[in-house]
Amino acid sequence: MGNEKSKENKKKKFDFKCKKENAINSLFEVEHFLCDLKKVFNTVCLYKILK
């Protein structure tokens, strides 16, 4: 039983490098989404003005 616990602990080890990369990628995705949303909003405003 001692071996099983040590194997479980190794599997649950916190991988900071992986979490850091995932967080950075998520932030980039949010930033790109917000930029695209801003472009869409500007396009809609321009359409309303020209209409």
Side-chain angles (χ1 to χ4, degrees):
M1 283 191 181
N3 290 337
E4 290 176 13
K5 284 188 176 184
S6 63
K7 287 181 183 179
E8 287 178 12
N9 288 340
K10 288 181 182 179
K11 289 181 183 178
K12 293 182 181 181
K13 184 178 178 183
F14 185 77
D15 188 7
F16 182 75
K17 186 176 180 179
C18 180
K19 298 290 183 182
K20 178 183 169 187
E21 290 296 319
N22 289 340
I24 290 172
N25 289 338
S26 295
L27 289 174
F28 280 132
E29 288 178 14
V30 169
E31 182 182 9
H32 289 199
F33 172 76
L34 291 176
C35 288
D36 290 342
L37 191 63
K38 185 177 178 182
K39 288 178 184 177
V40 169
F41 181 72
N42 289 338
T43 304
V44 169
C45 287
L46 181 63
Y47 176 75
K48 285 182 180 181
I49 292 170
L50 296 176
K51 187 177 174 184

